[in-house]
């Protein structure tokens, strides 16, 4: 590890602590302060810190721990109960961005293929930041929280399928995408196997491993075993083409169904919040640059508004069709606004393939970051409108 990185890490931790404190005092989610620190010290403004392999590594561990904690606080029965609404929410939340943002891009002057690609970039949701806000409001174990988490899993699968189809379409147009072209059938088989293995993990493997760890004569053996399960599931999810965050989320659910849930929450949460999770939030802001902003300010504004509206309307409509109230539907819609790793990966593939030029690529990254910064603010406002009685989840 570069010693210089220790200074960078120290700077990030000091500034995110101060920003989180200030944000909480003025009634804004702490995650907003941490995101803004990334924009402040990153290439967009002061350029003190750049995204490098070490920052990316700590950020990846941060999102894995955050989603593991989300799984720990989730109710599996509630997730299964709201599986159908989650699929409807995810489906409409993918269709709306592809249709509306694709149409807006085409109207602005992008080619049909570029417009379709831009729609696919913004079809994916990153629920990690929403999880942080839901945790802050103690709303993870609600029917709205369960629907958001379930929709995020379905959304991630759809994102992988769409990315595979786009790479195939690029190849058919004679455009060479970077990396090897995934075989869609193989990817889907691997993902089915992954979810089958997840069921086995939740039912038998995790309880056995956690019980075994308690018998080991080793300090923090239970916590270590939980992290082995968490990191192992994240690694396996990445291998089959899913986000590692999804694997970590199911690892959290698996461990939550053992007698060690409370102990692990007390041990893992301080570890994540002390180092890794702040770096993850800062890394989102570090993606932002102001290159080519002046020449693309119009499309940036249009796409940022549509990035928020398409998820709010698409996912909110899906929730409403499944019987949720207007208030609950707006919570679910805003909970799906944030974009993240899948959008960044898709944009990068388009850039490396030459489909998106430097100016267009910078604009897409900026829109992803802006939508991600706006998402927690919008989610907080909708959560505050929810009646407390309605926020309490039931599994009857």
């Amino acid at each position: 590890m570069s010693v210089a990185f220790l200074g960078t890490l120290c700077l990030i931790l000091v500034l995110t602590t101060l920003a989180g404190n200030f944000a909480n005092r003025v009634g804004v989610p702490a995650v907003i302060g941490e995101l803004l620190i990334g924009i402040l010290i990153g290439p967009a403004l002061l350029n003190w810190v750049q995204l490098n392999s070490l920052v990316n590594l700590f950020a990846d561990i941060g999102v894995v721990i955050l989603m593991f904690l989300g799984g720990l606080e989730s109710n599996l029965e509630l997730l299964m109960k709201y599986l159908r609404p989650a699929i409807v929410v995810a489906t409409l939340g993918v269709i709306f961005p592809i249709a509306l943002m694709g149409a807006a891009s085409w109207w602005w002057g992008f080619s049909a293929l570029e417009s379709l690609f831009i729609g696919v970039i913004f079809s994916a949701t990153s629920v990690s930041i929403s999880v942080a806000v839901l945790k802050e409001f103690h709303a993870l174990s609600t029917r709205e929280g369960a629907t958001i988490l379930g929709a995020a899993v379905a959304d991630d699968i759809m994102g992988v399928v769409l990315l595979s189809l786009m790479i195939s379409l690029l190849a058919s147009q004679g455009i060479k995408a970077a990396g090897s072209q995934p075989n869609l059938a193989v990817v889907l088989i691997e993902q089915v196997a992954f979810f089958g293995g997840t069921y086995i993990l939740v039912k038998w493997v995790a309880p056995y491993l956690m019980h075994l760890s308690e018998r080991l004569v080793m300090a923090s053996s239970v916590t270590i075993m939980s992290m082995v399960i968490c990191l192992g599931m994240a690694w396996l999810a990445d291998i089959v083409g899913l986000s590692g965050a999804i694997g970590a989320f199911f690892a959290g659910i698996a461990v939550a169904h053992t007698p060690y849930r409370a102990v692990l929450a007390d041990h893992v949460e301080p570890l994540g919040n002390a180092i890794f999770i702040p770096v993850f939030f800062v890394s989102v802001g570090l993606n932002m640059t102001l290159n080519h902003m002046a020449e693309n300010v119009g499309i940036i504004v249009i796409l940022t508004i549509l990035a928020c509206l398409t998820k709010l309307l698409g996912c909110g409509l899906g929730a409403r069709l499944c019987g949720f109230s207007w208030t609950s539907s707006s919570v679910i819609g805003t909970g799906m606004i944030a974009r993240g790793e899948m959008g960044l990966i898709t944009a990068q593939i388009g850039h490396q393939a030459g489909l998106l030029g430097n100016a267009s690529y910078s604009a897409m990254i900026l829109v992803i970051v802006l939508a991600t910064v706006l998402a927690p603010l919008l989610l907080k406002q909708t959560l505050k409108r929810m009646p407390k009685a309605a926020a309490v989840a039931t599994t009857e």
Side-chain angles (χ1 to χ4, degrees), residues 184-197:
L184 185 56
V186 172
V187 168
L188 291 176
I189 291 171
E190 288 176 341
Q191 291 180 4
V192 169
F194 172 80
F195 286 110

Side-chain angles (χ1 to χ4, degrees), residues 271-313:
L271 171 68
N273 288 331
I275 300 179
F276 299 105
I277 294 175
V279 178
F280 161 63
F281 290 132
V282 166
S283 73
V284 175
L286 293 179
N287 276 292
M288 182 172 170
T289 67
L290 301 181
N291 298 338
H292 310 287
M293 182 176 180
E295 62 195 84
N296 286 295
V297 65
I299 191 64
I300 288 170
V301 171
I302 290 171
L303 290 184
T304 300
I305 293 171
L306 286 176
C308 296
L309 284 180
T310 51
K311 286 293 185 181
L312 174 60
L313 297 176

Side-chain angles (χ1 to χ4, degrees), residues 1-224:
M1 179 186 291
S2 169
V3 176
F5 175 69
L6 297 179
T8 299
L9 184 59
C10 182
L11 176 67
I12 289 173
L13 295 179
V14 168
L15 292 180
T16 52
T17 301
L18 294 175
N21 172 69
F22 178 75
N24 282 325
R25 285 182 179 275
V26 299
V28 175
V31 61
I32 289 292
E34 296 174 341
L35 289 168
L36 293 177
I37 288 298
I39 296 172
L40 174 66
I41 65 176
L45 294 174
L46 298 177
N47 201 27
W48 291 350
V49 178
Q50 294 80 38
L51 270 178
N52 55 40
S53 58
L54 285 174
V55 173
N56 274 323
L57 175 61
F58 273 58
D60 288 343
I61 296 173
V63 72
V64 164
I65 292 177
L66 180 61
M67 291 304 291
F68 177 74
L69 291 169
L72 270 181
E73 294 187 19
S74 297
N75 184 320
L76 184 58
E77 291 181 8
L78 203 60
L79 282 169
M80 295 305 297
K81 179 178 179 180
Y82 291 99
L83 180 61
R84 177 183 165 274
I87 292 173
V88 174
V89 165
T91 301
L92 290 181
V94 166
I95 291 172
F96 269 57
I98 291 176
L100 298 180
M101 298 188 76
S105 302
W106 181 76
W107 174 79
W108 192 262
F110 287 91
S111 70
L113 185 58
E114 287 173 324
S115 301
L116 177 60
F117 200 84
I118 289 170
V120 171
I121 288 173
F122 291 98
S123 66
T125 294
S126 176
V127 78
S128 311
I129 290 171
S130 296
V131 164
V133 179
L134 290 168
K135 278 170 58 64
E136 189 175 326
F137 280 78
H138 307 289
L140 265 180
S141 293
T142 64
R143 58 199 187 105
E144 293 81 9
T147 303
I148 291 170
L149 290 167
V153 175
D155 189 287
D156 206 56
I157 295 170
M158 293 179 196
V160 171
V161 172
L162 286 171
L163 181 56
S164 301
L165 292 173
M166 282 307 304
I167 292 174
S168 300
L169 185 57
L170 289 176
S172 70
Q173 297 290 318
I175 301 173
K176 177 69 175 175
S180 57
Q181 181 177 333
N183 185 309
L184 185 56
V186 172
V187 168
L188 291 176
I189 291 171
E190 288 176 341
Q191 291 180 4
V192 169
F194 172 80
F195 286 110
T198 298
Y199 175 79
I200 295 172
L201 175 77
V202 172
K203 193 75 173 176
W204 294 292
V205 178
Y208 173 77
L209 290 177
M210 297 305 297
H211 176 70
L212 179 65
S213 68
E214 191 180 33
R215 301 174 62 183
L216 298 176
V217 185
M218 173 68 184
S220 303
S221 58
V222 170
T223 304
I224 292 171

Side-chain angles (χ1 to χ4, degrees), residues 310-378:
T310 51
K311 286 293 185 181
L312 174 60
L313 297 176
C315 298
L317 176 61
R320 188 75 181 115
L321 290 174
C322 293
F324 284 88
S325 68
W326 285 113
T327 302
S328 293
S329 298
S330 66
V331 169
I332 293 167
T334 52
M336 297 292 288
I337 286 174
R339 308 306 204 276
E341 56 279 355
M342 187 60 71
L344 294 172
I345 290 168
T346 308
Q348 185 179 32
I349 286 173
H351 179 54
Q352 291 175 339
L355 185 63
L356 295 177
N358 289 333
S360 299
Y361 176 67
S362 296
M364 295 309 115
I365 298 302
L366 183 54
V367 173
I368 289 171
V369 174
L370 289 174
T372 304
V373 171
L374 289 170
L377 287 171
L378 297 171

